[in-house]
Amino acid sequence: MNKFAITLFGLLFCTGIGNASDNWYDSLKMSGDLRYRHELIENDTKPSRNRHRIRARLNIKATLNEYAKVGFQLASGSDDPISSNQTLDGGFASKELTLRQAYFEIKHHRAVGLALTGGKFKTPFFKPGKTELIWDGDLGMEGGFLKYKKANKLATIELIGAGLWVEERSSESDSYIAAGQAVVKFKLDDKKSRLTVAVGFFKYVNGLNHPFFFDDENSMGNSTKLYIVGNDTTLVYANDYELLELSAQLNLKLAETPLSVYGDFVTNGGTDSLNTGYLAGFSLGKTKKPGSWKVSYNYRELERDAVVGAFSNSDFGGGGTNAKGHKLGAACQLANN
């Protein structure tokens, strides 16, 4: 058996962090957050459930030089790709710490506006209102993407092309996502308002007739079928997933209060039924300083095979697809930081 491997960017570390600063620690940027959450879960067929959960995250970014950066994120949780939550139970058992991000970003002076990112990174695609119709906010994608950005007085254009590795298999074809998105941000009303429109296409290769991603016992709402090979029977995806997404967001001020109105629509060309989803909502206000506030609302409907449930919002409707309903939120900032 022959093996052939290429290490692309290990040389980044050989350039020396000192190129960016005289002191190595000046090149580091650290951030993090802690969330404590209580959940009351009510289901018509099960007893009510009270659950206490924490999420802790630590981000580290290092600027190696003016053209190269690396980043890492450590977080609580398990190997679940769409959740960093850790339930408080188990007789005070110690909780897990996981690697949620590990990536590089490189640029070149002859390719102005172009950046290459690879490794494990947060979702690079525009999500209106930071909503999660297709991609959960905790999802750390793996693979690589190219992003081109160009701005002028009227608008900013962003083009993203990505290859995302979902499942590597030793005896079958690998599953991956070929993705692209175009985003245009128009400057309105003397730059106080902005209209963002985006179109994206996400094609899952080798998903049909393959086991469910991450958890081969849970399709997260997607349609399934039995796949028989010899004497083995496996539950697999019953459809392809070729997602076309259209989204828009308008940011403006209402009596000096920030207002955002947004919408998101997705359809799956890999099947002819139960293949659409949409979301519409708004947010008013912004939590920026003590005493500031924000309220938000959105409504969504996500049919069974509109998206891949394994990567959609982990909280709404119990996670996955085949759900519809309202989401109402409110926040008030009590203190700095």
Side-chain angles (χ1 to χ4, degrees):
M1 179 176 64
N2 295 322
K3 292 186 177 180
F4 180 62
I6 301 175
T7 302
L8 284 176
F9 301 111
L11 58 87
L12 289 178
F13 294 94
C14 300
T15 63
I17 292 179
N19 293 344
S21 170
D22 292 335
N23 298 310
W24 65 269
Y25 46 81
D26 290 334
S27 71
L28 296 180
K29 182 178 179 181
M30 300 181 66
S31 64
D33 64 276
L34 171 66
R35 181 180 71 191
Y36 187 103
R37 183 167 80 186
H38 168 258
E39 300 174 352
L40 170 60
I41 303 173
E42 295 184 335
N43 189 308
D44 293 340
T45 61
K46 299 178 181 178
S48 297
R49 182 180 183 186
N50 284 279
R51 184 164 64 173
H52 294 258
R53 313 191 87 187
I54 57 172
R55 184 188 69 184
R57 300 185 296 189
L58 175 64
N59 305 293
I60 303 173
K61 296 181 180 180
T63 301
L64 305 184
N65 53 54
E66 59 182 316
Y67 300 115
K69 299 178 182 179
V70 293
F72 307 91
Q73 184 188 84
L74 299 176
S76 57
S78 62
D79 58 353
D80 187 340
I82 57 174
S83 179
S84 299
N85 293 318
Q86 179 65 63
T87 302
L88 301 183
D89 67 351
F92 306 139
S94 298
K95 309 308 178 187
E96 294 184 42
L97 189 65
T98 60
L99 181 66
R100 305 294 295 192
Q101 295 179 21
Y103 63 90
F104 67 84
E105 178 190 290
I106 59 172
K107 301 179 181 179
H108 196 278
H109 68 279
R110 293 185 178 179
V112 178
L114 190 66
L116 172 65
T117 301
K120 187 174 181 64
F121 42 80
K122 67 179 182 180
T123 303
F125 307 113
F126 169 71
K127 297 187 293 183
K130 296 183 179 180
T131 53
E132 303 164 302
L133 190 67
I134 302 180
W135 313 112
D136 186 273
D138 279 331
L139 179 62
M141 292 182 163
E142 300 172 10
F145 68 92
L146 274 171
K147 182 174 182 178
Y148 175 74
K149 183 176 181 179
K150 185 176 179 60
N152 56 39
K153 294 181 179 180
L154 299 177
T156 299
I157 299 174
E158 296 180 358
L159 303 176
I160 301 174
L164 308 170
W165 325 134
V166 182
E167 292 287 355
E168 186 274 331
R169 303 182 178 93
S170 59
S171 57
E172 295 184 62
S173 299
D174 299 339
S175 294
Y176 62 92
I177 304 173
Q181 188 181 59
V183 183
V184 183
K185 301 177 180 179
F186 297 98
K187 301 172 184 177
L188 309 174
D189 190 22
D190 194 26
K191 299 181 181 180
K192 293 182 180 180
S193 302
R194 183 175 71 250
L195 173 64
T196 303
V197 294
V199 56
F201 183 71
F202 313 97
K203 179 177 175 59
Y204 287 76
V205 180
N206 297 323
L208 175 66
N209 296 330
H210 283 80
F212 315 137
F213 301 135
F214 176 64
D215 185 349
D216 58 11
E217 296 182 354
N218 187 354
S219 72
M220 297 296 289
N222 294 141
S223 295
T224 67
K225 67 178 182 180
L226 287 175
Y227 190 67
I228 302 174
V229 178
N231 295 324
D232 296 328
T233 301
T234 306
L235 205 58
V236 298
Y237 286 114
N239 296 299
D240 275 320
Y241 290 89
E242 301 173 358
L243 312 184
L244 175 64
E245 180 189 26
L246 304 174
S247 57
Q249 178 175 332
L250 176 63
N251 293 87
L252 45 83
K253 286 195 174 182
L254 184 65
E256 299 304 314
T257 301
L259 171 65
S260 177
V261 182
Y262 49 82
D264 199 0
F265 172 81
V266 61
T267 182
N268 175 20
T271 182
D272 295 328
S273 62
L274 301 175
N275 63 344
T276 61
Y278 71 88
L279 178 150
F282 73 89
S283 66
L284 179 65
K286 184 176 183 180
T287 50
K288 189 175 182 180
K289 59 183 180 180
S292 60
W293 53 270
K294 177 181 179 180
V295 294
S296 61
Y297 166 81
N298 68 62
Y299 176 82
R300 76 189 71 187
E301 292 191 11
L302 192 61
E303 293 184 325
R304 181 176 298 278
D305 294 308
V307 303
V308 172
F311 305 135
S312 187
N313 193 322
S314 63
D315 295 320
F316 191 84
T321 63
N322 196 27
K324 63 181 179 179
H326 309 267
K327 181 179 179 180
L328 178 66
C332 179
Q333 185 162 333
L334 303 179
N336 288 320
N337 301 319

